[in-house]
């Protein structure tokens, strides 16, 4: 097993050519994991999941929930192609008074095909 790279702190995906870094690491036997707020585009995450495991940290105070759902949907569509992909982990940060929002997000995520089985 190769070297593991963990990218976090701030938003690593705003780094120019970040996907190129993860692709290079992947192609040379390493592994990378990124903690992201999920603010990039669906196409970005569709490509990133091919080379890097994604930990998406969802903070209701800042997150665009529709964008998060669309990004997770894109990731699941990429995983369904049968091409090799890395892992996805979602961390939902639920502040006081936002439990209903968390339940609504969970419902939306479980409506995504194959989400529950991944």
């Amino acid at each position: 097993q190769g070297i593991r790279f963990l990218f976090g702190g701030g938003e690593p995906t705003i780094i120019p050519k970040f996907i190129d870094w993860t692709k290079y690491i992947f192609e040379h036997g390493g592994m990378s994991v990124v903690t992201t707020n999920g603010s990039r585009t669906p196409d970005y995450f569709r490509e990133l999941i091919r080379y890097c495991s994604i930990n998406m940290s969802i903070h209701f105070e800042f997150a665009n929930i529709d964008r998060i759902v669309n990004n997770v949907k894109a990731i699941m569509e990429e995983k369904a192609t049968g091409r090799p992909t890395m892992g996805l982990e979602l961390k939902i940060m639920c502040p006081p008074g936002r439990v209903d929002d968390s339940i609504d997000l969970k419902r939306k995520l479980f409506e995504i095909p194959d989400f529950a089985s991944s």
Side-chain angles (χ1 to χ4, degrees):
Q1 183 157 344
I3 296 172
R4 177 179 285 188
F5 293 84
L6 304 173
F7 298 100
E11 180 53 39
T13 66
I14 66 170
I15 298 169
K17 301 193 180 212
F18 182 74
I19 289 179
D20 292 341
W21 289 3
T22 63
K23 183 177 181 182
Y24 180 87
I25 292 166
F26 176 80
E27 290 175 344
H28 290 84
M31 180 183 174
S32 56
V33 179
V34 63
T35 298
T36 177
N37 63 19
S39 61
R40 297 297 300 252
T41 65
D43 286 340
Y44 186 92
F45 286 107
R46 189 177 282 117
E47 183 176 2
L48 184 61
I49 196 69
R50 297 177 199 159
Y51 311 112
C52 180
S53 289
I54 299 171
N55 290 334
M56 200 172 289
S57 183
I58 303 163
H59 296 259
F60 283 104
E61 305 95 290
F62 311 108
N64 177 322
I65 298 304
D66 291 334
R67 176 174 286 192
I68 297 291
V69 170
N70 287 333
N71 287 338
V72 171
K73 187 176 188 179
I75 290 168
M76 296 311 300
E77 288 169 355
E78 182 61 30
K79 291 175 98 36
T81 66
R83 291 188 289 257
T85 57
M86 301 292 113
L88 171 65
E89 181 176 318
L90 302 178
K91 296 176 181 170
I92 301 171
M93 310 303 167
C94 180
R98 302 294 295 265
V99 172
D100 289 341
D101 293 331
S102 295
I103 293 168
D104 187 51
L105 174 58
K106 178 184 173 189
R107 180 189 54 75
K108 289 176 182 178
L109 292 170
F110 276 84
E111 289 174 356
I112 298 171
D114 298 320
F115 179 80
S117 63
S118 65

